[in-house]
Amino acid sequence: MLNALTRSHKIEHMAKTEYDLLIIGGGITGAGIALDASMRGLNVALVEMQDFSEGTSSRSTKLIHGGLRYLKQLQVGVVKETGRERAIVYENGPHVTTPEWMLLPFHKGGTFGEFTTSLGLKVYDSLAVVDKNERRHMLSKKEVLNKVPHIKKTGLKGGGYYVEYKTDDSRLTIEVMKKAATYGADLVNYLKADGFIYQDGQVCGVTATDTLSKENYTIHAKTVVNAAGPWVDDIRNINGESTQDKKHLIHTKGVHIVFKQEDFPLTQAVYFDTENDGRMIFAIPRQGKTYVGTTDTFYTEDKVTPIANKEDKDYLVNAINYMFPSLQISSDMIESSWAGIRPLIQAAKSKNASAISRKDEIWHSDSGLITIAGGKLTGYRHMAEEIIDVVSDVLKRKYKMTIKKVSTKDETISGGDVGGSVGYTNYAEQVSRKAPSYGLTIEEGHMLALKYGSNAEDVYQYAGISNDNHKKYDLPKSLYAEVIYSVLHEMVVKPTDFLVRRSGKLYFAIEEVEKYRRGIERLLADTLTWTDEEYTQYIEEVDQAIKDTQK
């Protein structure tokens, strides 16, 4: 259990334990590695210098991509792998992954034509072994306009209709973390690995600082994996590795902007090309909003808090107005935004953009540090399997350990025990009928069941035992229960942890943030016994987070 109330005790326990594996990085890659390793019987620890998923893993396009665009680059193997991994992610966590029919319009002179769209989608269906109910359809011009009335009519010839998978990237990450914890993994946020310890020249652990208490710790491990995302090279440099003469990371920034539905009335997700550079952009309806992204520009600034600047927003607004000219979208209509950093791999000393890879790679240092870099959200499970195979070989060779060979392919993540993708809807309907016995409405219960899956009844319980305590904080009972659950099961220690990552409200329900943030802040302060200094700091962090989404 990821309990914030016992977080400091967990760290003290970690400092007294020698682990088989220590993971640096609490994004989706680190979470996947922790789950795979703990399922194989390894004693696992994970440290994250920020909150879980605070980096790239909460700032994506929030899609489990099937790899369609790689067909254009003739990367058949990538399409095959990502398409199949996409189905596994969905089946193991249907409460955080949802099929989303995507419209790919084609216009005269555009990136895609009718023949290439039809052929490409057909090949994709075959390679990705797409379920027959989700295989592509071709739409006429009239059918496209029926689905998206505001789309550019000039030159419109028709469209392809296929399925992508929408996800909550940050909740996917935390659910994988929680599942790893059930197998015994020790996972802690706000614990920064800032140095290595060595024995006979080999890495045997890290020094770490609790960024909340400022206490220093040493954590020992037989093997250490660097899965720090955009900070991978920083960790390699701490280990004394020169990244100048080797493959290294290069960062690009992806920006997304969010609109109210009344400003951008979209009920059908669209994947469309831009006017000048031929890039493809997503416009996706979500929770009563429409969000659009993404950009892809080289980035060398602050990795902790990237923001969408005016140039980023103007690029996306221009793309929208090119494809949806009648809407006359302006930057003033943007309600919120987020920016994420892609850690891509560049060959040593190469300045050629074609040498930048989006695939994952595993690197070994002379000191024994194992690094995994690159990759996509969709492939997190397969990436984890690959690197734990490597870790297992090291443990077998150096320590004569016997490692179980198991697979996460059929392992549901936390909250995923809902009868698979087929049973998920029925599960949500059935469990929501219990909500009134906990003081919740059926509608509130249904919302919580859809979000938390098979963990919903745990959330209900915190509503049930609240009595009228939620009124003290001017919070709806359901929201009160979510906050308490997030503290006791998802290691929320700051209001931004909940408002940005566990709930996503900062991006898709900014009005709720403004309405309820003070109550949430007071509830967390009382539950976690913040000091006055912490209270001031954490409130300022919420203020800054709101400003960053609205700059």
Side-chain angles (χ1 to χ4, degrees):
M1 186 181 297
L2 303 181
N3 189 336
L5 296 180
T6 59
R7 177 183 168 279
S8 60
H9 297 297
K10 178 71 71 177
I11 297 174
E12 291 172 3
H13 165 75
M14 292 166 70
K16 298 174 184 177
T17 305
E18 182 187 44
Y19 291 91
D20 299 323
L21 170 64
L22 171 64
I23 304 157
I24 302 173
I28 187 61
T29 303
I33 294 169
L35 176 56
D36 192 294
S38 58
M39 282 185 62
R40 298 198 204 190
L42 300 185
N43 192 14
V44 179
L46 180 148
V47 297
E48 163 57 48
M49 70 174 184
Q50 304 180 99
D51 184 27
F52 299 130
S53 79
E54 188 166 348
T56 302
S57 296
S58 61
R59 300 169 180 266
S60 73
T61 305
K62 306 186 188 301
L63 289 174
I64 301 294
H65 285 295
L68 175 63
R69 65 184 174 191
Y70 297 115
L71 270 184
K72 192 176 178 182
Q73 303 163 4
L74 300 179
Q75 297 185 42
V76 174
V78 175
V79 176
K80 186 175 181 179
E81 178 183 318
T82 56
R84 297 184 181 192
E85 281 299 312
R86 181 187 70 166
I88 295 171
V89 174
Y90 173 44
E91 196 62 34
N92 291 342
H95 62 304
V96 288
T97 310
T98 309
E100 180 82 16
W101 280 96
M102 191 74 61
L103 174 62
L104 179 62
F106 46 86
H107 290 76
K108 183 178 181 180
T111 303
F112 293 94
E114 181 175 6
F115 175 75
T116 54
T117 301
S118 178
L119 178 61
L121 291 175
K122 186 173 182 178
V123 172
Y124 171 76
D125 283 348
S126 176
L127 288 173
V129 194
V130 174
D131 186 274
K132 65 180 180 179
N133 295 321
E134 297 180 355
R135 290 175 188 166
R136 68 96 171 92
H137 309 293
M138 297 304 295
L139 304 179
S140 67
K141 175 180 177 178
K142 182 179 179 180
E143 289 171 321
V144 170
L145 289 172
N146 284 337
K147 291 184 180 296
V148 192
H150 298 285
I151 204 164
K152 183 177 70 168
K153 298 176 178 62
T154 304
L156 178 63
K157 302 181 72 174
Y161 205 45
Y162 70 104
V163 170
E164 288 281 20
Y165 284 74
K166 187 164 57 179
T167 191
D168 184 325
D169 49 4
S170 192
R171 287 216 59 80
L172 172 62
T173 302
I174 198 67
E175 297 292 28
V176 176
M177 290 274 190
K178 287 155 66 179
K179 188 64 176 216
T182 67
Y183 280 97
D186 292 330
L187 318 163
V188 177
N189 53 5
Y190 298 106
L191 185 60
K192 182 179 181 180
D194 46 25
F196 287 98
I197 54 176
Y198 301 88
Q199 182 175 2
D200 299 326
Q202 295 294 292
V203 168
C204 62
V206 301
T207 58
T209 301
D210 182 346
T211 63
L212 303 180
S213 70
K214 311 306 179 186
E215 295 288 331
N216 298 315
Y217 298 90
T218 300
I219 304 172
H220 291 83
K222 297 181 178 71
T223 57
V224 179
V225 166
N226 171 15
W231 292 269
V232 152
D233 282 349
D234 297 50
I235 299 298
R236 294 170 74 199
N237 289 333
I238 291 173
N239 188 42
E241 299 177 53
S242 171
T243 56
Q244 293 182 349
D245 300 325
K246 300 178 181 178
K247 285 187 176 181
H248 58 275
L249 293 189
I250 189 165
H251 300 132
T252 67
K253 182 172 69 168
V255 165
H256 300 79
I257 53 180
V258 182
F259 299 89
K260 295 177 181 177
Q261 276 273 325
E262 52 262 39
D263 291 328
F264 194 160
L266 191 71
T267 57
Q268 165 65 58
V270 183
Y271 188 33
F272 62 96
D273 52 2
T274 57
E275 181 177 13
N276 298 316
D277 58 10
R279 291 195 67 252
M280 299 296 292
I281 300 290
F282 289 102
I284 304 171
R286 188 184 189 118
Q287 296 175 221
K289 313 287 183 178
T290 296
Y291 73 100
V292 181
T294 179
T295 60
D296 193 10
T297 55
F298 290 113
Y299 184 79
T300 58
E301 300 171 43
D302 176 33
K303 296 193 288 287
V304 175
T305 55
I307 61 172
N309 60 33
K310 183 179 184 300
E311 185 178 0
D312 298 323
K313 293 178 180 179
D314 287 347
Y315 174 86
L316 292 174
V317 168
N318 289 338
I320 295 167
N321 285 327
Y322 168 67
M323 188 54 62
F324 305 91
S326 65
L327 295 178
Q328 298 183 335
I329 296 293
S330 69
S331 295
D332 294 338
M333 297 176 181
I334 297 172
E335 187 174 63
S336 63
S337 65
W338 72 87
I341 301 172
R342 304 179 188 91
L344 309 179
I345 300 171
Q346 186 171 39
K349 298 182 179 180
S350 173
K351 296 182 179 180
N352 187 341
S354 65
I356 300 173
S357 171
R358 293 173 185 261
K359 295 180 180 180
D360 61 284
E361 292 192 34
I362 297 173
W363 303 330
H364 299 260
S365 74
D366 294 339
S367 66
L369 177 67
I370 303 170
T371 294
I372 185 162
K376 302 287 289 180
L377 176 67
T378 307
Y380 85 87
R381 190 202 67 83
H382 188 258
M383 290 164 59
E385 188 175 79
E386 285 183 325
I387 201 160
I388 297 304
D389 283 345
V390 171
V391 169
S392 296
D393 288 343
V394 172
L395 292 172
K396 290 174 184 176
R397 185 178 69 254
K398 290 183 65 176
Y399 299 96
K400 311 303 180 185
M401 290 179 60
T402 301
I403 313 296
K404 292 188 294 185
K405 180 62 176 177
V406 299
S407 174
T408 56
K409 182 177 179 181
D410 299 314
E411 185 73 12
T412 58
I413 61 176
S414 179
D417 297 317
V418 293
S421 57
V422 175
Y424 170 50
T425 302
N426 288 336
Y427 172 86
E429 291 178 355
Q430 290 173 6
V431 77
S432 63
R433 295 172 192 162
K434 301 179 182 180
S437 64
Y438 296 94
L440 299 168
T441 66
I442 289 179
E443 291 74 18
E444 288 173 325
H446 192 253
M447 177 273 293
L448 294 173
L450 289 175
K451 180 176 179 179
Y452 292 96
S454 54
N455 292 322
E457 289 189 75
D458 290 336
V459 185
Y460 292 178
Q461 288 180 6
Y462 295 114
I465 63 177
S466 73
N467 296 316
D468 289 331
N469 205 36
H470 62 287
K471 295 179 180 179
K472 174 182 175 182
Y473 301 99
D474 297 318
L475 297 175
K477 183 173 281 193
S478 61
L479 183 55
Y480 173 93
E482 284 193 84
V483 174
I484 296 298
Y485 177 85
S486 73
V487 170
L488 300 180
H489 297 263
E490 298 181 345
M491 205 169 280
V492 159
V493 296
K494 298 182 179 184
T496 48
D497 300 341
F498 180 79
L499 293 171
V500 183
R501 288 168 289 280
R502 304 303 185 274
S503 71
K505 291 184 184 297
L506 187 67
Y507 300 144
F508 297 106
I510 189 67
E511 63 283 349
E512 288 189 37
V513 174
E514 294 168 346
K515 183 175 181 180
Y516 295 121
R517 60 167 290 194
R518 296 305 182 195
I520 291 170
E521 289 161 359
R522 288 189 289 115
L523 175 56
L524 288 174
D526 290 347
T527 305
L528 294 165
T529 60
W530 293 346
T531 64
D532 290 343
E533 182 181 357
E534 287 172 332
Y535 196 102
T536 300
Q537 176 191 335
Y538 298 160
I539 287 176
E540 289 176 352
E541 289 178 2
V542 176
D543 291 338
Q544 188 61 52
I546 292 173
K547 289 178 182 178
D548 287 346
T549 66
Q550 297 178 332
K551 284 182 179 178

